[in-house]
Amino acid sequence: MIDLSCDYNCGCAPEILAALTLANDGQHATYGFDRFSLSAKEKIRAAVGNPEADVYLLVGGTQTNATVLAALLAPWEGVIGAASGHIAVHESGAVEATGHKVLTLEADRFGRLAPETLEAYLTAFYADETCPHMVQPGAVYLSQPTEYGGLYTAAQLRAIRALCDRYGLRLYVDGARLAYALAAPGTDVTLPLLGACCDAFYIGGTKCGALCGEAVVFREKQPHFFPAHKQRGALLAKGYLLGLQFDTLFTDGLYLRLGKQAVDCAAALREGLEALGVAFSPESGTNQQFPILSAAQLAKLDGKIGYEVWQRLPDGGAVVRLCTSWRTTLADIGAALAALQ
Amino acid sequence: MIDLSCDYNCGCAPEILAALTLANDGQHATYGFDRFSLSAKEKIRAAVGNPEADVYLLVGGTQTNATVLAALLAPWEGVIGAASGHIAVHESGAVEATGHKVLTLEADRFGRLAPETLEAYLTAFYADETCPHMVQPGAVYLSQPTEYGGLYTAAQLRAIRALCDRYGLRLYVDGARLAYALAAPGTDVTLPLLGACCDAFYIGGTKCGALCGEAVVFREKQPHFFPAHKQRGALLAKGYLLGLQFDTLFTDGLYLRLGKQAVDCAAALREGLEALGVAFSPESGTNQQFPILSAAQLAKLDGKIGYEVWQRLPDGGAVVRLCTSWRTTLADIGAALAALQ
Amino acid sequence: MIDLSCDYNCGCAPEILAALTLANDGQHATYGFDRFSLSAKEKIRAAVGNPEADVYLLVGGTQTNATVLAALLAPWEGVIGAASGHIAVHESGAVEATGHKVLTLEADRFGRLAPETLEAYLTAFYADETCPHMVQPGAVYLSQPTEYGGLYTAAQLRAIRALCDRYGLRLYVDGARLAYALAAPGTDVTLPLLGACCDAFYIGGTKCGALCGEAVVFREKQPHFFPAHKQRGALLAKGYLLGLQFDTLFTDGLYLRLGKQAVDCAAALREGLEALGVAFSPESGTNQQFPILSAAQLAKLDGKIGYEVWQRLPDGGAVVRLCTSWRTTLADIGAALAALQ
Amino acid sequence: MIDLSCDYNCGCAPEILAALTLANDGQHATYGFDRFSLSAKEKIRAAVGNPEADVYLLVGGTQTNATVLAALLAPWEGVIGAASGHIAVHESGAVEATGHKVLTLEADRFGRLAPETLEAYLTAFYADETCPHMVQPGAVYLSQPTEYGGLYTAAQLRAIRALCDRYGLRLYVDGARLAYALAAPGTDVTLPLLGACCDAFYIGGTKCGALCGEAVVFREKQPHFFPAHKQRGALLAKGYLLGLQFDTLFTDGLYLRLGKQAVDCAAALREGLEALGVAFSPESGTNQQFPILSAAQLAKLDGKIGYEVWQRLPDGGAVVRLCTSWRTTLADIGAALAALQ
């Protein structure tokens, strides 16, 4: 069976496995001071175009979101995010466990928090004279791409940054699947733009070719993030495990290549499905595709192609999620489309 | 240079690397439901001799300590530990960040919390009529081996368990270096004994042959530890990475073999140092050795053998830590001893 | 000016002031062990009809909500409440600051969480296979009366209790204005019913005749709530200040009398406004009235009658809140109505 | 029986009761915006000699300590205090419940944290290369007077301030019994000095003549302390209750007068006891006296004079605490001394 149900059910890019094998016999400085981590951080700073960026390598996405937000927020502040966002729904209250409320706003159909929605909320918040009794907005959380494969445009990102500047908010972007956003056709959101707009964002490794690992990029030096991430259990003793993976991902453009492989496959899948008359909810230019399949189509997939039911429909059909990844091939896509014939 | 400064500056056991390589092309169920994790848990239950044990695979030691203790404690409870214990000193306040005080008691010279010390504290606590205004003791934290390479005896462990039963406390053992404790000559503390005495303990992977990973063993089913560890960022999406490592470590006695290799090397090192007239502070039967070296001896090591200064002495000498690990060889020990001639 | 903008802008019932004066020269046991507190707790247990009830006297509403919920919830649990509920909106994230998410559901137009809404949420939650990745529901938070003056019926309360039993949830009722709920005509929710249905609820003092103070009633003994409320800063050193107030409130039916005074005045106000053709949004049988006033009517009130704007309307009018309290008189109501002529 | 066991077992100063009575019929702005609170804050700013000081009125001591420290500290920071300090021992872990470790240092015999002790700790901390793995020191907590009636000198306070400046720490002083410190003969620590040295300190009301209430004085404006103290349940709805008390305490020097009454009585008690050959452990110039009494002396007190056993001695005697307060009279002292004849 070809499993397209998610993008984190496989191993790592062969280049990473090779590097791991090569490094296994050596001795490496601990807690992120090994040569791989130092090199990875340097390469990420270069890719972001900000020599002042402060880069930390953490293990997983929920951990990263909670750890970074807890470091960016004052105790009385909450983080604004789309109601469908990962921190609001699928992290078992990791942000709240650090003492902060997730302030949810309605997303657009692509899972994005529209600048207009954010502005309306902020205007109303500060116009409400009871606002000192409420959780103070302290940061904005976005995902690029969103849970629904949606992509912010550069204009949207800049508009949100401008609102953050006006209202004293920090901007944080969850890039669990960032490789697939960066590779999406037509996107104008680049690593340098993220680096310029965000107080912090992370470059996802786990879902983009690594075994584990997420690289957090702060726009400015963080004198205290070392104890801050140690305190949240996010500092790996054998830091070279993360350093080596990101050093490899940021060598010879591997990270972008892995992203492109997935996005190209997703495009082929989308086109093939469209040719079969399938509609999408929503449409996505990244590695996650959300076709609306009939009960008959679902039956054809069962046992052949792994998928995730996103939303069951009254007629027995469903919106499903089909995920490509850096290791999906056009042959996999062909098989998936063939199953639906 | 042979670096004996710590036991987590290297890669993983070759058996693990081989297994990782073999599994890299497959697709694996996520979040710990992969076949490796299921198999690892089964093998650990067998090794502990408790088919009811509930096993979870987490990533690192600080994360594990904070996550498990936060799950075991009520909000008004603290955890009792040796003042020199890892959670009290070197985890950046990870336990306090979950809202719980670490109640510190004096350790013996081996870093152990003596049952008598614990009993005296508990007796005095409940005899103090202001105790409802204090943090209530909720759990006891031990390390096997301790930060100083010390080992609890089975009698001590049973005595502490009896105190826990009498006072309604949970018992938790940090086994970051458990392989080296289990392999120590003359120890009578086994996995089944830990499993029987502890509400929870963890079998350390990171320092005992794995790239990362710690296996938490609960004596009883934990219906809610899944969201509990997700909430603390301790649930790995690609759980097979941890499952595969522990499955390998618990196949054909690898975990114990790795421990024995380190302990045998440490014994050779200790004997060689004793032959040179070196004393220890304290003596240790596990992989960490704490020789008291003169300034001249330190100078001989510099540049040849990596060590960690544990305590500087007024005469220019120092207590140093020399750590063997599963990958140390008798040749390494020979080189270290030769350097001191 | 007669200020009907809220019900906590005045002193205390004369009976309480008299008792305070009388007790001022005495010496009183501390931390709630004084004779007033003991007597108050006994009287409250009698009023609730549960000799096993465990009663604690805290200072204010937000403090009480956060302290009790933090004691009732496990770390991985959140509390379900109406999206318009006080803990969700107007407590500056006090519940989240203790590490717990407030899980919000849509309220009905009276601010109530309908049993059907709760059941639909719980059914959907446990049907969602990703639910172990979400915040686990641990408790239900209701207010009697609600922020909108709404009242649960006994049938609703029992239905919610049944859902709590079925799903292992605790039930907690915020009674900041409970005196006004108990006195509302036609209500079938009594103190004994609350005591029987709720794991915990509180009898509001601050808004119901006291200077400060809220009496929490637990259905069962709480062996650890003493340190739990000390830890949250909710234990008053001079506990007699709270004990004396609740002892007075529960002597000779004072609490209910104070509630009735407010509710009778509110009824007179409502009838007077209806006679003027005013509509309400929503209608309320308790001390808070929410008339929809035109711009002209608002102008007539300005400077004469204090009110709180609840919602501005496009036509220049507004839904306003007019609050009666235990100290409002029919003369005050007459003046308010006269102003609107 | 004359109860000298503590200083918070009585009512309030008659002036406060009179003011409460007078204000009881009025209507008062809520949440600290009433005229009493505004006036109290103005008077406190004047007494502290800092027109920029930001003053908040909270309810109790544990609440105040936890709320202010949580606002002053970053998540990765702890607060340094004497091991015998109130936050370290008798607040049920209130500070830890906000996520911060209390870093304890040995106090001198008066319960004071000596500047030399603090400096030695800070020097050693930053000299330890593992310090990024530890809780970062963020603030210093002192009590004036200490739990043992000890008083910092102006020189000590300035020395600690200088250390705070050098190491980037905030300085916070717990003034639960500040009236008794300010009135102590020979003290050179004044309100203006505290205001100049401390980032924040509080002027205790509960133990110094009020029914409840503590006035926090920040050296600089705190734009976010309103939601910060609301979030911790420390904002009183009927804020006038606190405002009125502090307005009264800071009118016509009442606060200092109340302090002097207690200190004068304590001096008479001390002299009387000395005349009986009694020694003290430690000696104290404030309202708390710690005489070392024999078993025979204790027997003479029993049933006549309330005291608190501080430390039982092997010979059947004890160090006891005798507390005077603003309402103690010289007649009370005479009775206490007579009992011991």
Side-chain angles (χ1 to χ4, degrees), chain B residues 40 57 170 211:
Chain B
L57 306 179
R170 282 117 276 159
L211 285 169

Side-chain angles (χ1 to χ4, degrees), chain A residues 247-261:
Chain A
D247 191 47
T248 306
L249 288 170
F250 279 82
T251 298
D252 296 336
L254 177 60
Y255 192 69
L256 297 179
R257 271 206 325 275
L258 294 172
K260 188 165 187 313
Q261 173 68 17

Side-chain angles (χ1 to χ4, degrees), chain C residues 200-235:
Chain C
F201 73 100
Y202 84 82
I203 301 171
T206 303
K207 294 175 176 170
C208 303
L211 285 169
C212 59
E214 325 294 333
V216 183
V217 182
F218 290 98
R219 196 163 57 168
E220 294 175 3
K221 283 275 169 287
Q222 301 294 309
H224 301 296
F225 195 71
F226 190 92
H229 81 311
K230 170 88 182 184
Q231 185 188 53
R232 306 286 175 196
L235 174 64

Side-chain angles (χ1 to χ4, degrees), chain D residues 65-130:
Chain D
N65 288 335
T67 301
V68 174
L69 287 169
L72 291 178
L73 294 170
W76 51 84
E77 291 179 336
V79 54
I80 302 167
S84 55
H86 207 257
I87 57 168
V89 181
H90 276 120
E91 300 193 352
S92 294
V95 171
E96 287 85 358
T98 70
H100 302 283
K101 189 181 187 81
V102 180
L103 301 156
T104 52
L105 300 179
E106 273 313 296
D108 71 12
R109 61 188 291 268
F110 299 104
R112 298 178 303 189
L113 178 59
E116 297 73 21
T117 305
L118 178 60
E119 183 164 19
Y121 161 77
L122 291 165
T123 306
F125 180 85
Y126 288 110
D128 183 339
E129 63 185 26
T130 70

Side-chain angles (χ1 to χ4, degrees), chain C residues 38-173:
Chain C
L38 299 179
S39 167
K41 293 174 183 186
E42 200 51 49
K43 289 174 182 169
I44 288 171
R45 274 190 287 267
V48 172
N50 177 3
E52 299 303 313
D54 209 359
V55 181
Y56 290 85
L57 306 179
L58 279 65
V59 181
T62 294
Q63 178 187 84
T64 301
N65 289 336
T67 300
V68 174
L69 287 170
L72 292 178
L73 294 170
W76 51 84
E77 292 179 335
V79 54
I80 303 167
S84 55
H86 207 256
I87 57 167
V89 181
H90 275 121
E91 301 192 352
S92 294
V95 171
E96 287 85 358
T98 69
H100 302 283
K101 190 183 186 81
V102 180
L103 301 156
T104 51
L105 300 180
E106 274 314 295
D108 72 13
R109 62 188 292 268
F110 299 103
R112 298 178 303 189
L113 178 59
E116 298 73 22
T117 305
L118 178 60
E119 182 164 18
Y121 161 78
L122 290 165
T123 305
F125 181 85
Y126 288 109
D128 184 338
E129 63 184 28
T130 71
C131 76
H133 295 259
M134 300 183 189
V135 174
Q136 304 299 297
V140 173
Y141 165 92
L142 309 176
S143 301
Q144 177 81 337
T146 71
E147 293 285 295
Y148 296 92
L151 291 172
Y152 287 86
T153 64
Q156 286 178 313
L157 211 56
R158 288 201 187 97
I160 291 173
R161 175 73 253 175
L163 287 167
C164 289
D165 287 339
R166 194 189 317 159
Y167 287 99
L169 308 177
R170 282 116 275 161
L171 178 57
Y172 170 68
V173 169

Side-chain angles (χ1 to χ4, degrees), chain C residues 147-148 281-282 288 290 308-312 318-321:
Chain C
E147 293 285 295
Y148 296 92
S281 173
Q288 300 185 89
F290 301 93
E308 186 174 319
V309 172
W310 207 245
Q311 187 192 348
R312 295 205 179 276
V319 179
V320 304
R321 182 176 76 163

Side-chain angles (χ1 to χ4, degrees), chain A residues 41-335:
Chain A
K41 292 174 182 186
E42 199 52 48
K43 288 174 182 170
I44 288 171
R45 275 191 285 268
V48 171
N50 176 3
E52 298 303 313
D54 210 358
V55 181
Y56 290 85
L57 305 179
L58 279 65
V59 181
T62 295
Q63 177 189 82
T64 301
N65 288 337
T67 300
V68 174
L69 287 169
L72 292 177
L73 294 170
W76 51 84
E77 291 178 336
V79 54
I80 303 167
S84 54
H86 206 257
I87 58 167
V89 181
H90 276 121
E91 300 193 352
S92 294
V95 170
E96 288 85 358
T98 70
H100 302 283
K101 191 183 185 81
V102 179
L103 301 156
T104 51
L105 300 180
E106 273 312 296
D108 71 13
R109 60 188 292 269
F110 299 103
R112 297 177 304 188
L113 179 58
E116 297 73 22
T117 305
L118 178 61
E119 182 164 20
Y121 161 78
L122 290 165
T123 306
F125 180 86
Y126 288 109
D128 183 338
E129 63 184 28
T130 71
C131 76
H133 295 259
M134 298 182 191
V135 174
Q136 305 298 297
V140 173
Y141 165 92
L142 309 176
S143 301
Q144 178 79 341
T146 70
E147 293 285 294
Y148 297 92
L151 290 172
Y152 288 86
T153 64
Q156 286 178 313
L157 210 57
R158 287 200 187 95
I160 290 173
R161 174 74 253 176
L163 286 167
C164 288
D165 287 340
R166 195 189 315 160
Y167 287 98
L169 308 177
R170 283 116 276 159
L171 178 56
Y172 170 68
V173 170
D174 178 335
R177 293 187 171 93
L178 191 58
Y180 310 128
L182 295 171
T187 185
D188 53 0
V189 172
T190 62
L191 280 176
L193 183 72
L194 285 165
C197 284
C198 300
D199 294 274
F201 73 101
Y202 84 83
I203 301 171
T206 303
K207 293 175 177 169
C208 303
L211 285 170
C212 62
E214 325 293 334
V216 183
V217 182
F218 290 98
R219 196 162 59 168
E220 294 174 3
K221 283 274 169 288
Q222 300 296 309
H224 302 297
F225 195 72
F226 190 90
H229 80 310
K230 170 88 183 184
Q231 184 188 54
R232 305 286 176 195
L235 173 63
L236 216 53
K238 293 191 182 173
Y240 93 92
L241 171 61
L242 302 173
L244 176 150
Q245 295 188 81
F246 276 97
D247 191 47
T248 306
L249 288 170
F250 279 82
T251 298
D252 296 336
L254 177 60
Y255 192 69
L256 297 179
R257 271 206 325 275
L258 294 172
K260 188 165 187 313
Q261 173 68 17
V263 167
D264 286 352
C265 287
L269 176 63
R270 188 172 59 247
E271 285 158 24
L273 288 168
E274 282 169 351
L276 294 171
V278 169
F280 295 81
S281 173
E283 306 79 27
S284 155
T286 69
N287 75 312
Q288 299 184 91
Q289 297 296 316
F290 301 92
I292 308 170
L293 300 183
S294 66
Q297 288 169 319
L298 293 173
K300 287 179 180 172
L301 288 183
D302 286 340
K304 292 186 191 147
I305 304 295
Y307 60 89
E308 186 173 321
V309 172
W310 208 245
Q311 189 192 347
R312 296 205 178 276
L313 301 177
D315 64 0
V319 180
V320 304
R321 182 175 77 164
L322 293 171
C323 268
T324 63
S325 77
W326 54 274
R327 71 189 291 281
T328 310
T329 62
L330 289 173
D332 294 336
I333 301 304

